[in-house]
């Protein structure tokens, strides 16, 4: 066993050649297993806690305004630091970054599973996002340097892509099973044995590799964008607790906008920018990413209330609620393949616009939910429509965001697709949760002293809050569709060839 295997955190040797870097054929598929476990863990944690959230909220006495931090703390740090994590993995060493990310993710998961209060849980989720931002790009880079044969690489990335696509659905189901038959805490603790097993296999198999070139990191950029996004999320949260005109609410929202403006200035002047602005200033790329930001914000934010509706209003158990959300996954799988076949024939704009409008239509369907158990007529059709739309949007955005990108920007552009989705989800969840919570509070205040049944009033208030959040989500999705229609004008011939760039999932 080499010294590098015994001590993966020491300064790595000069980058090996492709032939030296690739493990033996008998070991490569075990490397794929390890990397797939890591990717599954990262993707699972975006959804696994959603089904468990009502239980965690009750156990830790969270407020309705603060509960969204369980989702947003992870998505915010993951999305904001993903580009920096990829750069660190490239220059620090991919094996080193992978192992450090796995260890850190497992420790953060253990802290979250043992949380005694909401602050401890929120902090653990944020820490998970930090290490996921290091782990995900390292895993993908290791996959690329391990499988050098074109046919084998295609098979490996097919497995990786399948896990990325299906991980969210697995997270909903697994979250329901663990919550109902064990505890909500196991939705976090389950990562520990997965990480231990992956590290045990990874240490002797993975070979170190790193990139040459400028190894300086844009730390000021990473700090300002993370603090700016956190300030916006906190401002949305405080608006639910106080009001939109509260002095501290306004101050945090203004601070968030200013910090993001400072981030843009840093990117303009930095020689080693975290996000080279040329990537997002392209009309097609910028338009598709902005549409993804809005659609992701509305969809991920809405998912929280779909689960809460099934669990608190319809009275579904955790497993049934997790299974009830799979209509979205079915829709995605139906249209994702069809969209990939359509893009070379009609270009990206039509699928992107139609997909966004299908998402809006499905979410609008959910505004008609009632307190009755009418899942098949009031919930499932809306979810399937949303899934059909997402399949079209995600495939079109993934292709359009890479149009005309230079070779040295391909990694950043690919990672940006996922970063935008995570950041949008964090902001959308915080905003829609604030709208729903405010609506619920106002409804209850209006009904106080009316002499009605308190339980019925609370149920009606929750329904009013959820449908209001869905309505605002519809507006956001329609805006996304308009942006795609106006800005995205690439023709079918402009799309990159299949496999031109690798997406960090």
């Amino acid at each position: 066993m080499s010294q590098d295997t015994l001590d993966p955190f020491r300064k790595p040797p000069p980058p090996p050649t492709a032939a030296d870097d690739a493990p033996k054929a008998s070991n490569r598929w075990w490397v794929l297993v390890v990397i797939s476990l890591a990717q599954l863990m990262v993707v699972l944690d975006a959804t696994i806690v959603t089904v468990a959230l009502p239980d965690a909220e009750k156990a830790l006495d969270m407020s309705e305004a603060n509960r969204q931090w369980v989702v947003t703390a992870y998505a915010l740090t993951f999305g904001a630091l993903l580009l920096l994590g990829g750069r660190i993995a490239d220059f620090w060493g991919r094996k080193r970054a992978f192992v450090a990310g796995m260890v850190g993710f497992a420790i953060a998961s253990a802290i979250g599973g043992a949380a005694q209060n909401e602050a401890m849980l929120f902090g653990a989720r944020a820490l998970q996002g930090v290490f996921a931002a290091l782990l995900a790009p390292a895993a993908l880079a290791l996959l690329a340097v391990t499988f050098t044969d074109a046919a084998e690489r295609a098979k490996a990335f097919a497995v990786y892509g399948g896990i990325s696509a299906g991980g969210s659905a697995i997270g909903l189901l697994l979250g329901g099973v663990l919550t109902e038959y064990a505890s909500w805490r196991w939705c976090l603790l389950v990562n520990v044995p997965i990480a231990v097993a992956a590290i045990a296999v990874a240490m002797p198999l993975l070979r170190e590799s790193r990139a040459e070139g400028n190894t300086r990191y844009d730390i000021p950029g990473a700090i300002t964008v993370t603090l700016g996004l956190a300030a916006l999320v906190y401002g949305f949260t405080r608006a639910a607790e106080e009001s939109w005109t509260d002095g501290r609410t306004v101050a945090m929202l203004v601070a968030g906008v200013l910090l993001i403006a400072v981030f843009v200035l840093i990117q303009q002047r930095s020689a080693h920018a975290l996000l080279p602005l040329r990537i997002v200033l392209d009309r097609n790329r910028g338009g598709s990413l902005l549409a993804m930001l809005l659609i992701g914000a509305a969809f991920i934010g809405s998912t929280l209330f779909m689960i809460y509706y099934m669990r608190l209003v319809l009275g579904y158990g955790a497993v049934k609620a997790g299974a009830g959300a799979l209509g979205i996954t079915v829709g995605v799988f139906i249209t994702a393949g069809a969209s990939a076949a359509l893009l070379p024939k009609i270009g990206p704009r039509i699928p992107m616009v139609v997909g966004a409008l299908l998402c809006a239509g499905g979410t609008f369907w959910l505004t008609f939910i009632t307190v009755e158990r009418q899942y098949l007529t009031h919930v499932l059709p809306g979810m399937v429509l949303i899934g059909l739309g997402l399949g079209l949007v995600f495939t079109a955005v993934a292709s359009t965001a890479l149009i005309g990108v230079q070779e040295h920007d391909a990694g950043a552009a690919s990672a940006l697709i996922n970063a935008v989705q995570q950041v949008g989800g964090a902001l959308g969840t915080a905003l829609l949760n604030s709208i729903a919570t405010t609506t619920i509070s106002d409804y209850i205040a209006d009904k106080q002293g009316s002499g009605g049944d308190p339980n019925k009033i609370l149920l009606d208030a929750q329904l009013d809050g959820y449908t209001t959040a869905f309505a605002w989500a519809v507006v956001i999705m329609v805006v996304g569709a308009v942006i795609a229609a106006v800005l995205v004008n690439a023709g079918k011939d402009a799309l990159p060839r299949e496999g031109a760039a690798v997406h960090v999932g």
Side-chain angles (χ1 to χ4, degrees), residues 336 338-352 392 394-400 491-493 495:
S339 180
L342 280 173
L343 286 173
K345 299 177 181 178
I346 63 175
R349 176 160 57 182
I350 293 176
M352 202 180 300
L392 292 172
F394 287 171
T395 307
V397 168
S399 295
T400 310
K492 59 184 180 181
D493 296 332
L495 295 176

Side-chain angles (χ1 to χ4, degrees), residues 99-462:
V99 174
M102 289 290 279
V103 171
F105 199 92
I107 292 172
S109 299
I111 294 172
Q116 300 302 303
N117 52 59
E118 62 179 32
M120 187 175 175
L121 179 58
F122 301 158
R125 289 288 287 168
L127 195 60
Q128 280 185 307
V130 171
F131 285 106
L134 181 63
L135 176 60
L140 189 55
L142 285 168
L143 194 66
V145 299
T146 298
F147 290 90
T148 55
D149 177 77
E152 287 189 350
R153 177 177 287 191
K155 293 177 183 178
F157 277 106
V159 173
Y160 182 92
I163 289 173
S164 299
S168 297
I170 296 172
L172 290 171
L173 283 175
L174 183 59
V177 170
L178 291 174
T179 300
E180 191 157 324
Y181 297 110
S183 165
W184 66 267
R185 296 181 182 277
W186 275 101
C187 292
L188 296 164
L189 294 174
V190 70
N191 292 320
V192 177
I194 294 175
V196 170
I199 292 170
V201 177
M203 293 292 282
L205 291 183
L206 294 180
R207 302 288 297 274
E208 187 60 279
S209 68
R210 60 173 177 157
E212 290 297 314
N214 185 357
T215 59
R216 297 181 65 188
Y217 304 118
D218 182 12
I219 302 300
I223 292 173
T224 50
V225 71
T226 303
L227 290 178
L229 293 170
L232 290 176
V233 172
Y234 181 77
F236 294 151
T237 303
R238 186 169 177 83
E241 295 176 327
E242 302 297 333
S243 70
W244 288 98
T245 57
D246 172 72
R248 188 176 296 181
T249 299
V250 174
M252 293 305 297
L253 293 175
V254 171
V257 172
L258 290 177
L259 282 166
I260 292 175
V262 171
F263 167 73
V264 173
L265 292 176
I266 292 173
Q267 301 312 289
Q268 285 180 328
R269 301 182 179 185
S270 176
H272 47 279
L274 184 67
L275 173 60
L277 294 183
R278 60 181 175 271
I279 293 178
V280 294
L281 291 179
D282 175 85
R283 173 175 179 166
N284 287 291
R285 195 175 305 118
S288 62
L289 290 172
L290 183 54
M292 170 69 90
L293 179 76
L294 294 172
I295 294 166
F299 162 64
I300 296 175
S302 298
T303 302
L304 179 69
F305 303 107
M306 296 177 199
I307 297 297
Y308 265 81
Y309 169 70
M310 287 188 285
R311 294 213 57 191
L312 300 185
V313 178
L314 297 184
Y316 286 1
V319 174
K320 191 173 181 179
L326 293 183
I328 295 173
T329 305
V330 172
V332 169
F333 278 113
I334 290 173
T335 54
S339 180
L342 280 173
L343 286 173
K345 299 177 181 178
I346 63 175
R349 176 160 57 182
I350 293 176
M352 202 180 300
V353 173
V354 171
L357 293 177
L358 281 173
C359 289
T363 307
F364 180 70
W365 191 296
L366 294 175
T367 62
F368 296 100
I369 56 176
T370 69
V371 296
E372 303 297 329
R373 294 177 180 270
Q374 297 175 322
Y375 172 83
L376 291 178
T377 56
H378 285 64
V379 180
L380 182 59
M383 288 187 173
V384 172
L385 279 175
I386 292 171
L388 292 172
L390 290 175
L392 292 172
V393 170
F394 287 171
T395 307
V397 168
S399 295
T400 310
L402 297 173
I403 290 176
V405 69
Q406 298 299 312
E407 175 105 18
H408 57 274
D409 287 335
S414 298
L416 190 59
I417 299 171
N418 299 278
V420 163
Q421 185 179 346
Q422 294 291 337
V423 168
L427 295 175
T429 300
L431 176 61
L432 294 181
N433 186 68
S434 179
I435 291 171
T437 301
T438 301
T439 303
I440 291 170
S441 299
D442 291 345
Y443 187 98
I444 293 174
D446 289 342
K447 296 296 183 179
Q448 280 184 342
S450 63
D453 180 2
N455 291 328
K456 185 178 185 306
I457 290 175
L458 177 59
L459 204 63
D460 289 341
Q462 289 172 331

Side-chain angles (χ1 to χ4, degrees), residues 23-85:
K24 294 179 180 179
S26 58
N27 291 334
R28 283 199 291 273
W29 299 107
W30 280 108
V31 172
L32 176 60
V33 170
V34 172
I35 292 173
S36 297
L37 279 175
Q39 176 65 6
L40 180 62
M41 194 171 65
V42 169
V43 175
L44 279 178
D45 269 68
T47 57
I48 194 171
V49 298
T50 305
V51 178
L53 191 49
D55 297 76
E57 179 184 348
K58 182 178 180 181
L60 300 182
D61 195 27
M62 298 181 204
S63 68
E64 289 187 338
N66 282 339
R67 68 189 177 193
Q68 51 82 24
W69 281 107
V70 177
V71 177
T72 58
Y74 179 77
L76 191 153
T77 52
F78 187 13
L81 298 176
L82 187 57
L83 288 169
L84 179 63

